[in-house]
Amino acid sequence: MKFRQVHLDFHTSEAIEGIGRDFSKQQFQEMLKTGHVDSITIFSKCHHGWAYHPTTANEMHPGLDFDLLGAQIEAAHEIGVKTPVYLSAGLDERLARKHPQWLIRNQQEVISWTGDFMTPGYHQFCMNTPYLDVLAQQVEEVVKNYDADGIFLDIVGVRECYCQYCVADIRERGSDPRNLEDMRKLWEETYARYAKRMNDTVHAVKPGLPVFHNSSHVDRGRRDLAHVNTHLELESLPTGGWGYDHFPLSARYAQTLGMDFLGMTGKFHTSWGEFGGYKHPNALRYEAALSLANGARCSIGDQLHPGGKMDLATYTLIGEAYREVAAKEEWCQDTTGIADIALLSLEAASWAAGDGPIPQHNKHDTGAVRILLEGNYLFNVVDLEADLASYKVLILPDEIQITAQLKTKLDDFIAGGGKILATGRSGLSVDGSGFALDLGVTWQGISAFRPSYLRPSFELPSLRTASFVIYTEGQDAVLSPGGTLLGSKENSYFNRDLFTFCSHQHTPSDLQEAGAGIAEGRDGIYVAWHVFEDYAVKGSLPVKEIIYYALDRLLGNHKSLNTNLPAQGVTTLQAQPASKRWVNHLLYASPVRRGEGVEIIEDLLPLMNTEVTLVTTEQVKDVYLAPQNESLPFNQVDGKLSYTVPLWACHQMVVIQF
């Protein structure tokens, strides 16, 4: 898989004429070179439903009079650039108006994405209709007729649908569309059948050709869905609604799956389809570096003008990032992430428990990742199929109750020396019998007070001891025999109500101990609130520092990396076993909000004297900066390696050569 990819959208209305009239092989090649691009995904078929090449399986765009796809492939291959080919699978507006009966519908017969045909927008197809045969013919035609380096199929996934094809199907099985469990099985089978049909169609012609089915999110806990792909492309445009939290969360899960993957951002100021919108070059430099630091290759989204001329400003912008990526590739291939902490994703646990999908941007996973990133911890995001043996601490964020399957896995982890950090309702048995683990407390019920307060028995680094408000759901718990109290829960005088309210927001603490707020038992530490959700919503400093205290207590002297990198920094440690080295990635940028909630990176401030200490018993031969190849002074004493990076900005790799 190439490191420096571009995803070149070309969703082009039939109301525009002169499609591709300004295309020039020379200009196309010059822009790819300017952008330091080594792979570009180009279009066979767009969301409007048009093909950009001669076709018998589809219809060529009425404003196009030559084989644009073929010309682009020829131009790219001539200079050694790969060309995966894109087909819009879930959307095809040309066919939607001819065959509206093939569209996804909800129980009220409302279609998706756009709810009618009097509003501009696209409409999504159900793959349990004859449309699947049409799509297969389109894919087969491309693979047979063109030297594609891969197939990218867009807007697909397990979809809820009550179209008449799905209704008839479920009734033929002797069930009823009102039976949600049976409908979910049908929807799963529909997607599995679609994916197998597409993969078989491609590989019957070109065995092993890369195929990716894009749903814009890799579901944590659904390895079966991940493995219908030959590789993963993590769509994550920070300014397009995903935010800067999303990619690390997604990538720290993807790297545990043993698949090649890339991070897909965009050149746009906002998101897809934004003509004339541009990021600051520093933002793309940082986003590309963030992919490398998390073991991923890079992809940057662009959209070609209908005239077919590549935009100089865009490829100059992309080149700012990809010039740096090209110099760093040697230290970013065949990597394995090193981690002390495993975060069991609530999304993954929900799938495993049979509860179905939950929001991919759920506050529990997001808040936990945000705290771990800001604390410079080495971590992975895991599901219930993950091997936990290499981790020292497992986090159960907020709402992970213990099933029999999970209990067996946790018992093995704890028996091997691992420790648990559980928060909120996590750690409770699904049968309602209380805690399934020894976390030093006995559960009494959900707290009637919200918010409530935590008074730690330890002092926080940034604040003196106080009663700290926590806004999310709390639990009533008391210390159990053998438990160690690390902080007390306090309630307010009363909840805010019509005749009982105090001041502008919530009622203050009554300053009376009301059970255990944070405690430690044989198996780990428990915090009695949904603290990760709280941090995602409120971003409270005491909550973060309380979690840091708990993690550091559980890790003890076994924390693999310590650094003075600021909170907005990111650090990862990637191993390259074949080269007998580790690569410590250091990143720093501080997104700011512009406009209505758009996160922007513009200024990349230099950092001085960044100190790092790593735990390693293996003899270190050299420590040097990459790609500069400049050696750093280092000390290795009693299993700890220390070095200082004097001055750097945006992204610095430090190579530890054994």
Side-chain angles (χ1 to χ4, degrees):
M1 180 185 285
K2 294 294 187 179
F3 271 93
R4 291 166 277 124
Q5 303 191 34
V6 162
H7 187 97
L8 188 65
D9 263 11
F10 198 51
H11 303 294
T12 307
S13 168
E14 63 277 8
I16 299 177
E17 299 178 352
I19 305 302
R21 69 187 172 212
D22 299 322
F23 175 80
S24 153
K25 175 194 279 191
Q26 180 182 357
Q27 197 264 348
F28 189 75
Q29 292 174 335
E30 286 176 354
M31 291 303 97
L32 295 179
K33 292 175 182 177
T34 298
H36 296 269
V37 175
D38 59 16
S39 177
I40 184 165
T41 301
I42 50 180
F43 269 44
S44 162
K45 170 195 170 187
C46 71
H47 289 342
H48 292 274
W50 301 109
Y52 295 92
H53 54 86
T55 176
T56 57
N58 195 3
E59 287 188 26
M60 193 160 82
H61 193 292
L64 179 67
D65 60 8
F66 72 102
D67 186 349
L68 177 59
L69 175 64
Q72 290 174 324
I73 291 174
E74 179 185 344
H77 283 182
E78 194 173 277
I79 58 172
V81 175
K82 296 288 188 183
T83 54
V85 174
Y86 174 106
L87 294 95
S88 180
L91 305 177
D92 184 323
E93 196 60 15
R94 184 183 69 83
L95 278 182
R97 290 184 175 271
K98 288 186 175 182
H99 299 284
Q101 72 275 21
W102 294 353
L103 298 177
I104 287 174
R105 296 171 186 271
N106 68 13
Q107 291 182 351
Q108 290 73 43
E109 285 292 308
V110 176
I111 52 181
S112 167
W113 290 352
T114 307
D116 56 53
F117 280 99
M118 298 302 291
T119 304
Y122 303 118
H123 303 86
Q124 189 172 193
F125 279 85
C126 174
M127 297 298 178
N128 195 22
T129 69
Y131 174 70
L132 182 63
D133 295 328
V134 175
L135 181 62
Q137 292 168 8
Q138 294 171 348
V139 170
E140 182 180 40
E141 180 182 65
V142 170
V143 180
K144 281 184 174 179
N145 293 349
Y146 292 94
D147 188 14
D149 293 305
I151 295 294
F152 186 109
L153 295 162
D154 203 10
I155 320 296
V156 291
V158 178
R159 301 287 194 254
E160 294 186 9
C161 182
Y162 292 89
C163 75
Q164 291 308 308
Y165 289 89
C166 289
V167 169
D169 196 334
I170 205 69
R171 295 193 70 194
E172 286 175 10
R173 300 178 184 205
S175 187
D176 187 300
R178 290 166 293 190
N179 185 322
L180 182 57
E181 183 177 345
D182 286 354
M183 290 301 291
R184 283 176 172 167
K185 289 178 183 176
L186 172 63
W187 301 330
E188 291 277 349
E189 290 172 12
T190 296
Y191 181 66
R193 184 170 59 250
Y194 147 81
K196 184 178 188 303
R197 178 78 177 276
M198 294 303 110
N199 291 344
D200 289 350
T201 298
V202 171
H203 295 146
V205 181
K206 291 185 178 177
L209 191 72
V211 181
F212 179 66
H213 307 270
N214 185 43
S215 66
S216 85
H217 174 63
V218 174
D219 296 78
R220 297 182 287 277
R222 292 299 305 270
R223 294 188 179 211
D224 57 331
L225 297 183
H227 286 290
V228 303
N229 304 286
T230 56
H231 64 285
L232 299 176
E233 304 196 20
L234 309 185
E235 187 177 356
S236 186
L237 281 63
T239 57
W242 285 262
Y244 278 96
D245 291 323
H246 178 265
F247 179 73
L249 170 56
S250 193
R252 297 318 310 144
Y253 176 67
Q255 198 177 20
T256 69
L257 300 180
M259 301 176 69
D260 287 337
F261 70 107
L262 57 82
M264 180 189 289
T265 183
K267 70 95 179 182
F268 315 104
H269 172 64
T270 57
S271 193
W272 299 107
E274 183 191 43
F275 292 102
Y278 301 87
K279 274 193 174 90
H280 194 285
N282 284 343
L284 275 189
R285 290 176 59 211
Y286 176 80
E287 290 160 19
L290 191 62
S291 284
L292 299 181
N294 283 282
R297 310 295 170 99
C298 308
S299 176
I300 297 173
D302 178 29
Q303 178 146 350
L304 183 65
H305 187 275
K309 184 177 182 179
M310 299 278 269
D311 182 50
L312 176 61
T314 293
Y315 288 86
T316 303
L317 168 61
I318 291 172
E320 292 284 322
Y322 277 175
R323 181 174 56 251
E324 296 182 2
V325 172
K328 297 171 181 177
E329 292 175 11
E330 176 185 344
W331 295 275
C332 301
Q333 7 191 15
D334 304 319
T335 58
T336 303
I338 296 173
D340 294 329
I341 297 169
L343 168 67
L344 178 56
S345 165
L346 181 61
E347 180 185 6
S350 178
W351 279 118
D355 296 333
I358 65 171
Q360 57 173 285
H361 296 289
N362 73 83
K363 303 299 183 185
H364 315 282
D365 286 352
T366 297
V369 165
R370 193 175 295 171
I371 284 179
L372 291 167
L373 287 170
E374 292 177 6
N376 301 313
Y377 291 93
L378 300 180
F379 70 97
N380 283 331
V381 178
V382 301
D383 56 25
L384 268 69
E385 295 183 52
D387 182 357
L388 301 178
S390 64
Y391 301 106
K392 304 174 180 80
V393 173
L394 174 67
I395 297 176
L396 305 179
D398 295 350
E399 290 190 2
I400 297 183
Q401 295 181 316
I402 310 303
T403 61
Q405 175 195 6
L406 180 53
K407 181 67 163 63
T408 300
K409 195 170 189 73
L410 295 181
D411 286 346
D412 291 342
F413 174 67
I414 292 165
K419 293 292 185 180
I420 304 293
L421 173 60
T423 63
R425 275 184 255 153
S426 290
L428 292 170
S429 175
V430 291
D431 63 12
S433 60
F435 283 107
L437 304 167
D438 182 354
L439 299 171
V441 289
T442 300
W443 185 67
Q444 295 185 312
I446 298 173
S447 175
F449 293 89
R450 183 169 177 177
S452 50
Y453 296 80
L454 172 58
R455 179 177 285 271
S457 59
F458 49 90
E459 196 163 286
L460 304 186
S462 303
L463 298 163
R464 302 300 297 269
T465 301
S467 297
F468 298 110
V469 65
I470 302 181
Y471 294 94
T472 48
E473 177 188 295
Q475 308 297 315
D476 287 332
V478 295
L479 199 67
S480 57
T484 301
L485 187 68
L486 301 177
S488 299
K489 180 175 182 285
E490 295 175 359
N491 294 325
S492 59
Y493 289 99
F494 39 74
N495 287 327
R496 190 175 182 87
D497 201 358
L498 178 59
F499 299 113
T500 54
F501 70 90
C502 179
S503 192
H504 299 292
Q505 293 193 57
H506 45 267
T507 311
S509 170
D510 64 9
L511 304 180
Q512 301 300 306
E513 184 175 327
I518 176 169
E520 184 172 17
R522 183 188 67 237
D523 298 338
I525 290 177
Y526 174 71
V527 183
W529 289 267
H530 288 15
V531 286
F532 295 115
E533 178 191 10
D534 191 275
Y535 195 72
V537 174
K538 297 291 187 180
S540 168
L541 175 63
V543 166
K544 177 167 70 171
E545 294 196 346
I546 287 163
I547 295 301
Y548 290 170
Y549 173 86
L551 288 173
D552 291 345
R553 186 178 176 98
L554 293 172
L555 287 169
N557 295 322
H558 303 293
K559 189 177 180 183
S560 295
L561 182 149
N562 284 282
T563 179
N564 64 348
L565 191 65
Q568 290 303 309
V570 173
T571 187
T572 66
L573 191 60
Q574 299 284 344
Q576 285 186 299
S579 301
K580 297 182 179 179
R581 65 192 180 202
W582 289 350
V583 181
N584 176 210
H585 292 262
L586 302 169
L587 298 98
Y588 183 77
S590 188
V592 297
R593 290 190 179 272
R594 299 268 176 85
E596 295 184 356
V598 180
E599 290 188 349
I600 297 297
I601 290 175
E602 185 168 334
D603 299 318
L604 292 172
L605 302 178
L607 270 65
M608 298 182 64
N609 298 325
T610 302
E611 300 169 4
V612 180
T613 299
L614 299 176
V615 174
T616 178
T617 56
E618 193 171 349
Q619 187 62 41
V620 174
K621 177 183 176 182
D622 191 17
V623 175
Y624 64 93
L625 302 177
Q628 301 96 315
N629 282 310
E630 297 175 5
S631 289
L632 285 178
F634 67 92
N635 290 310
Q636 189 175 17
V637 180
D638 297 330
K640 291 188 176 181
L641 171 72
S642 299
Y643 50 85
T644 300
V645 183
L647 182 68
W648 63 281
C650 187
H651 178 220
Q652 180 62 63
M653 297 185 296
V654 182
V655 182
I656 297 91
Q657 184 69 57
F658 297 108

